[in-house]
Amino acid sequence: MDTNRGKTYYVTTPIYYVNDAPHIGHAYTTVAGDVLTRWHRMRGESVWYLTGTDEHGQKVMNTAAANGVSPQVWVDQLVEQAWLPVLDTIDVVNDDFIRTTQERHMVRVQNYLAGLKDAGHIYKDSYEGPYCLGCEAFMGEDELVPGIGEFEGHLCCPTHSKPVEMIKEENWFFRLADFAERLIAHYEANPDAVAPRSAYNEVLSFLKMGLKDVSVSRSTFDWGIPVPWDPEHVFYVWFDALLNYATAVGLGDTDGAGAEKFASTWPADVHLVGKDILRFHAVIWPAMLMAGGLALPKQVFAHGWLLVGGEKMSKSKLTGIAPSQIIDVFGSDAFRYYFLRAIQFGADGSFSWEDMAARYNNELANGLGNLASRATAMVDRYFGGALPQVSEYAEADLQIAHLWQRTASAADSAMDTLDFSAAITGIKEFVDALNGYLTEQEPWKVAKAETDAAMARVGAVLTTVCEGLRGVAVMLHPVMPKSTVALWQQIGGQTALGAIELQRIDQAGVWGVLPAGTTTNKGESLFPRLVEDEA
């Protein structure tokens, strides 16, 4: 692991389409990126985390018209009232928020695509075929599925289950087919460039079937970035949107802050995307970069869908749940913990209130929260709230130390493959072991002897538990930033070691960091149990 890298660790989410308010599917991706970048910051790395909104296209234009406002007014309202506030709701710390209606983006898009045209990668032709307005995507007939119910007899988009439109228009095209062999060679030489493995196999299989050139402009509506060499056209929303990852960090700037930022940041280390937009990001996007002579992203990671009632989270299907609906009950830390612990990142996962309530009570309230409460209460009771000097540890204590060292190393390694669930589950299992250790050692019974030897043994047990909680707090801080700050204060970490966000996560496995004399502070319950009507 290189923590002295010269390049900034750069992570992006997709830019989210602003025809409606965000749901927990959007929050899931954004939290994953936030946890990943917090983790790398706590490794001592320079980090840049980008998220934002995709604001052009026919769907936004139609939605704005249906609401009786201009597209710009519509997107301004949604961004200010819904998309920016949700970042605070889910405790995301992003470094930049890009909007595709910003001048910095639009000018850089125009310049870059004009350069591709000048180099011969873009030409004019006509298109006739199916188009899914929900996806804002041109589709091949082999990608469509037969409609059911009211749409029986129609060909439908497999994602939205609604009939596609048949459109015919003159557009500018990108010579995507020219890049098929280069993309295959790139992915065969860099098998981690698309993850998980199922996504890699899908992309490689798709490439080997051959590619067709794709539209880079639209001419039947005007809500988009104008094509500078043909003002009757606007750029196709996907070509506009994909470039955000590069325009946000100074694409095309030859001097000044933009050029410096691009040099230190590009290429992206991880593009987080939903699996439904994988081909845009793993086929069209790298081809666009190849055409401009730019380095390709190190990895595109396609996570699975959040399912409700067996269907993908979707406002249009009335399965969209606002993050606040969950966070108002469980809190933001539990929201972040649950979705990355319960669902394997890269696979589909189902959300249920019952499962979340059960995990909250069992793993957080009864597990981590109760352990912290018991330990600090006993330090207060037996040692006046200060950890004693320990002269000798028993074999059971050393086993906990060794278990934590293995746990911390495994969790840190899991994060390198974006296996959030494995990292969090390993830490959770250590908390279980620490709870079991405390129960087995029974310091409250040992203390009844009131001898020096007995109290020395109690001190060793409680110091072991608090030291375990120190490591847990550090490694769970990227996942649960609020409750781990509270835990850190309860075990005395703030006073003894400094702010938790300044602790090195790659050193969290070192044992014996809390010094003797550390003052603990029994505080409020980290995770108050839910009453039945809440759960």
Side-chain angles (χ1 to χ4, degrees):
M1 180 192 314
D2 180 13
T3 56
N4 296 307
R5 48 193 291 151
K7 179 191 170 299
T8 295
Y9 184 77
Y10 182 28
V11 177
T12 76
T13 71
I15 50 172
Y16 303 113
Y17 207 63
V18 290
N19 63 313
D20 210 334
H23 55 60
I24 61 173
H26 305 112
Y28 175 56
T29 315
T30 312
V31 164
D34 184 63
V35 170
L36 184 62
T37 47
R38 283 178 187 261
W39 195 282
H40 279 264
R41 282 192 188 97
M42 290 180 70
R43 281 178 172 176
E45 298 175 25
S46 171
V47 169
W48 196 256
Y49 182 33
L50 174 72
T51 188
T53 45
D54 182 3
E55 302 179 13
H56 289 126
Q58 188 176 359
K59 189 162 58 173
V60 165
M61 185 182 72
N62 292 349
T63 304
N67 284 272
V69 296
S70 71
Q72 189 65 62
V73 168
W74 175 251
V75 297
D76 286 346
Q77 289 175 345
L78 271 175
V79 169
E80 293 299 325
Q81 297 174 14
W83 289 92
L84 288 175
V86 82
L87 298 176
D88 291 330
T89 301
I90 58 179
D91 289 327
V92 163
V93 181
N94 55 300
D95 296 288
D96 194 5
F97 188 96
I98 189 163
R99 299 179 57 184
T100 57
T101 53
Q102 291 172 335
E103 184 178 2
R104 61 166 173 162
H105 174 74
M106 295 193 293
V107 170
R108 288 168 176 160
V109 166
Q110 289 177 320
N111 291 341
Y112 187 77
L113 292 177
L116 296 193
K117 177 182 178 294
D118 291 344
H121 297 297
I122 292 176
Y123 65 95
K124 202 168 193 178
D125 204 345
S126 60
Y127 172 83
E128 183 174 6
Y131 185 83
C132 173
L133 182 59
C135 295
E136 290 272 15
F138 299 96
M139 310 189 80
E141 291 196 9
D142 58 337
E143 298 178 73
L144 305 178
V145 297
I148 58 175
E150 63 178 309
F151 302 129
E152 188 173 353
H154 296 272
L155 289 175
C156 294
C157 165
T159 300
H160 293 90
S161 303
K162 291 182 179 180
V164 293
E165 301 177 27
M166 297 301 293
I167 67 172
K168 181 178 181 180
E169 60 186 47
E170 188 178 54
N171 294 334
W172 290 91
F173 281 75
F174 173 62
R175 297 185 190 277
L176 181 64
D178 289 355
F179 295 91
E181 293 303 319
R182 287 179 62 184
L183 287 169
I184 291 171
H186 171 73
Y187 287 131
E188 288 181 340
N190 300 277
D192 293 329
V194 176
R197 194 66 185 181
S198 57
Y200 173 85
N201 292 336
E202 176 190 331
V203 168
L204 211 57
S205 176
F206 181 74
L207 288 170
K208 289 180 177 179
M209 290 190 297
L211 297 178
K212 296 178 181 179
D213 294 349
V214 292
S215 283
V216 73
S217 75
R218 299 293 306 276
S219 57
T220 53
F221 60 90
D222 62 0
W223 181 239
I225 299 176
V227 174
W229 64 85
D230 190 345
E232 297 299 316
H233 289 245
V234 295
F235 285 118
Y236 171 40
V237 65
W238 271 104
F239 272 78
D240 157 12
L242 287 165
L243 279 164
N244 92 89
Y245 307 122
T247 63
V249 292
L251 173 68
D253 290 13
T254 56
D255 55 29
E260 184 178 334
K261 186 67 181 176
F262 195 79
S264 66
T265 308
W266 195 260
D269 290 80
V270 182
H271 289 315
L272 298 177
V273 302
K275 66 179 184 178
D276 50 332
I277 54 175
L278 172 62
R279 292 181 186 176
F280 289 100
H281 286 82
V283 178
I284 296 177
W285 174 225
M288 292 168 63
L289 294 171
M290 284 179 172
L294 295 180
L296 272 57
K298 296 183 179 180
Q299 185 176 76
V300 174
F301 195 105
H303 65 73
W305 289 340
L306 288 188
L307 306 176
V308 174
E311 291 197 16
K312 178 193 173 189
M313 193 76 55
S314 167
K315 291 282 187 181
S316 63
K317 293 184 178 181
L318 302 180
T319 54
I321 300 171
S324 58
Q325 291 177 264
I326 297 174
I327 289 171
D328 286 350
V329 175
F330 297 97
S332 59
D333 275 3
F335 178 97
R336 293 163 62 99
Y337 174 92
Y338 172 80
F339 283 103
L340 294 183
R341 151 88 169 102
I343 299 169
Q344 181 67 45
F345 202 64
D348 292 348
S350 295
F351 166 75
S352 77
W353 291 93
E354 294 79 10
D355 184 49
M356 185 163 185
R359 289 182 187 270
Y360 175 92
N361 280 330
N362 295 334
E363 299 179 14
L364 297 179
N366 296 341
L368 179 57
N370 187 49
L371 177 63
S373 179
R374 294 167 71 197
T376 54
M378 284 188 280
V379 173
D380 183 64
R381 178 178 178 184
Y382 300 123
F383 301 101
L387 292 180
Q389 182 70 48
V390 179
S391 57
E392 182 179 4
Y393 286 102
E395 179 61 27
D397 313 335
L398 297 177
Q399 287 179 1
I400 288 294
H402 294 151
L403 175 60
W404 174 245
Q405 289 162 353
R406 295 193 300 272
T407 298
S409 177
D412 201 27
S413 296
M415 277 295 184
D416 284 328
T417 60
L418 276 66
D419 195 345
F420 301 102
S421 180
I424 297 169
T425 299
I427 297 168
K428 176 263 177 191
E429 289 173 350
F430 174 77
V431 171
D432 291 344
L434 206 54
N435 260 314
Y437 160 84
L438 186 61
T439 299
E440 290 169 5
Q441 298 304 311
E442 299 181 316
W444 52 90
K445 287 188 177 180
V446 176
K448 290 180 179 178
E450 298 183 350
T451 64
D452 289 346
M455 295 314 295
R457 180 67 199 132
V458 172
V461 171
L462 295 181
T463 297
T464 297
V465 174
C466 287
E467 177 64 13
L469 287 171
R470 175 205 61 81
V472 167
V474 171
M475 297 202 82
L476 282 183
H477 183 62
V479 182
M480 299 190 292
K482 287 182 176 177
S483 55
T484 50
V485 166
L487 173 59
W488 193 244
Q489 291 171 338
Q490 287 182 16
I491 62 172
Q494 181 75 26
T495 302
L497 303 172
I500 190 171
E501 62 269 18
L502 300 179
Q503 309 305 304
R504 287 290 292 265
I505 210 162
D506 52 340
Q507 297 172 11
V510 175
W511 192 261
V513 176
L514 277 178
T518 295
T519 302
T520 60
N521 305 279
K522 189 179 186 317
E524 297 294 322
S525 175
L526 296 176
F527 303 100
R529 281 189 58 84
L530 300 171
V531 297
E532 189 169 337
D533 60 345
E534 288 179 324

